Short mmCIF file of all heavy atoms in Angstrom, two decimals:
data_model
loop_
_atom_site.label_atom_id
_atom_site.label_comp_id
_atom_site.label_asym_id
_atom_site.label_seq_id
_atom_site.Cartn_x
_atom_site.Cartn_y
_atom_site.Cartn_z
N GLU I 64 142.08 179.24 147.36
CA GLU I 64 142.07 178.43 146.05
C GLU I 64 141.44 179.38 144.95
O GLU I 64 140.49 180.11 145.20
CB GLU I 64 141.14 177.25 146.23
CG GLU I 64 141.07 176.36 145.01
CD GLU I 64 140.27 175.10 145.25
OE1 GLU I 64 139.37 175.00 146.06
OE2 GLU I 64 140.65 174.09 144.56
N SER I 65 141.94 179.23 143.79
CA SER I 65 141.37 180.01 142.58
C SER I 65 140.20 179.21 142.09
O SER I 65 140.26 178.03 141.87
CB SER I 65 142.40 180.08 141.51
OG SER I 65 143.46 180.94 141.93
N LEU I 66 139.12 179.95 141.88
CA LEU I 66 137.84 179.42 141.36
C LEU I 66 137.55 180.17 140.08
O LEU I 66 137.90 181.34 140.03
CB LEU I 66 136.71 179.45 142.25
CG LEU I 66 136.91 178.79 143.68
CD1 LEU I 66 135.77 179.02 144.55
CD2 LEU I 66 137.19 177.36 143.51
N TYR I 67 136.98 179.55 139.11
CA TYR I 67 136.65 180.10 137.81
C TYR I 67 135.17 179.80 137.37
O TYR I 67 134.63 178.87 137.84
CB TYR I 67 137.58 179.54 136.76
CG TYR I 67 138.97 179.82 137.00
CD1 TYR I 67 139.75 178.87 137.78
CD2 TYR I 67 139.71 180.87 136.57
CE1 TYR I 67 141.12 179.02 138.10
CE2 TYR I 67 141.05 181.06 136.77
CZ TYR I 67 141.73 180.17 137.56
OH TYR I 67 143.01 180.34 137.81
N ARG I 68 134.67 180.71 136.58
CA ARG I 68 133.41 180.49 135.94
C ARG I 68 133.38 181.26 134.66
O ARG I 68 134.04 182.29 134.48
CB ARG I 68 132.25 180.85 136.77
CG ARG I 68 131.86 182.29 136.82
CD ARG I 68 130.62 182.62 137.56
NE ARG I 68 130.18 183.93 137.17
CZ ARG I 68 128.98 184.28 136.83
NH1 ARG I 68 128.02 183.36 136.90
NH2 ARG I 68 128.72 185.49 136.45
N ALA I 69 132.53 180.75 133.72
CA ALA I 69 132.44 181.33 132.44
C ALA I 69 131.69 182.79 132.65
O ALA I 69 130.84 182.79 133.58
CB ALA I 69 131.68 180.57 131.41
N CYS I 70 132.09 183.75 131.95
CA CYS I 70 131.44 185.02 132.16
C CYS I 70 130.98 185.65 130.86
O CYS I 70 131.33 185.13 129.75
CB CYS I 70 132.28 186.02 132.92
SG CYS I 70 133.69 186.66 131.96
N THR I 71 130.25 186.78 130.93
CA THR I 71 129.86 187.49 129.79
C THR I 71 131.05 188.22 129.24
O THR I 71 131.54 189.09 129.90
CB THR I 71 128.74 188.55 130.16
OG1 THR I 71 127.74 187.83 130.89
CG2 THR I 71 128.21 189.17 128.91
N PRO I 72 131.63 187.84 128.10
CA PRO I 72 132.79 188.35 127.62
C PRO I 72 132.57 189.85 127.18
O PRO I 72 131.49 190.20 126.68
CB PRO I 72 133.24 187.53 126.46
CG PRO I 72 132.01 186.73 126.09
CD PRO I 72 131.16 186.69 127.27
N GLY I 73 133.62 190.65 127.36
CA GLY I 73 133.58 192.01 126.90
C GLY I 73 132.79 193.05 127.69
O GLY I 73 132.66 194.10 127.27
N LYS I 74 132.24 192.57 128.82
CA LYS I 74 131.37 193.43 129.58
C LYS I 74 131.87 193.44 131.01
O LYS I 74 131.87 192.34 131.66
CB LYS I 74 129.92 192.89 129.62
CG LYS I 74 128.97 193.72 130.34
CD LYS I 74 127.58 193.15 130.31
CE LYS I 74 126.65 193.89 131.28
NZ LYS I 74 125.60 193.03 131.71
N HIS I 75 132.28 194.68 131.51
CA HIS I 75 132.78 194.70 132.84
C HIS I 75 131.64 194.56 133.77
O HIS I 75 130.57 195.14 133.64
CB HIS I 75 133.49 196.08 133.02
CG HIS I 75 134.09 196.33 134.41
ND1 HIS I 75 135.17 195.60 134.82
CD2 HIS I 75 133.64 197.06 135.46
CE1 HIS I 75 135.36 195.92 136.05
NE2 HIS I 75 134.61 196.80 136.46
N HIS I 76 131.83 193.84 134.84
CA HIS I 76 130.73 193.49 135.73
C HIS I 76 131.40 193.11 137.13
O HIS I 76 132.58 192.87 137.28
CB HIS I 76 129.81 192.44 135.27
CG HIS I 76 130.47 191.20 134.96
ND1 HIS I 76 131.10 190.95 133.74
CD2 HIS I 76 130.75 190.00 135.75
CE1 HIS I 76 131.68 189.80 133.75
NE2 HIS I 76 131.48 189.27 134.91
N HIS I 77 130.53 192.99 138.09
CA HIS I 77 130.95 192.61 139.48
C HIS I 77 130.02 191.40 139.82
O HIS I 77 129.14 191.02 139.13
CB HIS I 77 130.75 193.79 140.39
CG HIS I 77 131.48 194.96 139.98
ND1 HIS I 77 132.84 195.13 140.10
CD2 HIS I 77 131.00 196.15 139.43
CE1 HIS I 77 133.19 196.38 139.60
NE2 HIS I 77 132.10 196.94 139.17
N HIS I 78 130.33 190.82 141.03
CA HIS I 78 129.56 189.65 141.43
C HIS I 78 129.00 189.75 142.91
O HIS I 78 129.68 190.38 143.71
CB HIS I 78 130.45 188.43 141.45
CG HIS I 78 131.06 188.18 140.10
ND1 HIS I 78 132.43 188.36 139.89
CD2 HIS I 78 130.52 187.78 138.93
CE1 HIS I 78 132.67 188.05 138.67
NE2 HIS I 78 131.56 187.72 138.09
N LEU I 79 127.86 189.19 143.04
CA LEU I 79 127.43 188.84 144.38
C LEU I 79 127.58 187.33 144.45
O LEU I 79 127.13 186.58 143.59
CB LEU I 79 125.87 189.16 144.50
CG LEU I 79 125.48 190.55 144.56
CD1 LEU I 79 123.94 190.73 144.52
CD2 LEU I 79 125.96 191.24 145.80
N ILE I 80 128.28 186.93 145.52
CA ILE I 80 128.56 185.44 145.65
C ILE I 80 128.15 184.96 146.99
O ILE I 80 128.47 185.58 148.06
CB ILE I 80 130.14 185.29 145.52
CG1 ILE I 80 130.57 185.85 144.17
CG2 ILE I 80 130.48 183.78 145.60
CD1 ILE I 80 132.10 186.02 144.07
N CYS I 81 127.40 183.84 147.01
CA CYS I 81 127.02 183.25 148.27
C CYS I 81 128.13 182.53 148.93
O CYS I 81 128.73 181.63 148.29
CB CYS I 81 125.85 182.29 148.06
SG CYS I 81 125.20 181.61 149.53
N ARG I 82 128.39 182.87 150.13
CA ARG I 82 129.54 182.16 150.92
C ARG I 82 129.18 180.74 151.18
O ARG I 82 130.05 179.93 151.46
CB ARG I 82 129.74 182.92 152.18
CG ARG I 82 130.44 184.25 152.08
CD ARG I 82 130.91 184.76 153.48
NE ARG I 82 129.85 184.71 154.43
CZ ARG I 82 129.03 185.80 154.70
NH1 ARG I 82 129.27 186.93 154.08
NH2 ARG I 82 128.16 185.68 155.71
N ASN I 83 127.96 180.41 151.16
CA ASN I 83 127.50 179.02 151.59
C ASN I 83 127.45 178.08 150.39
O ASN I 83 128.12 177.05 150.37
CB ASN I 83 126.20 179.06 152.34
CG ASN I 83 125.86 177.74 152.86
OD1 ASN I 83 126.60 177.09 153.45
ND2 ASN I 83 124.54 177.26 152.61
N CYS I 84 126.72 178.40 149.35
CA CYS I 84 126.39 177.54 148.21
C CYS I 84 127.23 177.94 146.90
O CYS I 84 127.27 177.19 146.02
CB CYS I 84 124.96 177.38 147.89
SG CYS I 84 124.18 178.89 147.20
#
Side-chain angles (χ1 to χ4, degrees):
E64 183 175 31
S65 293
L66 302 177
Y67 301 87
R68 81 172 195 134
C70 72
T71 308
K74 180 181 173 207
H75 182 71
H76 57 274
H77 306 285
H78 303 107
L79 291 172
I80 304 165
C81 181
R82 287 190 309 264
N83 188 48
C84 70

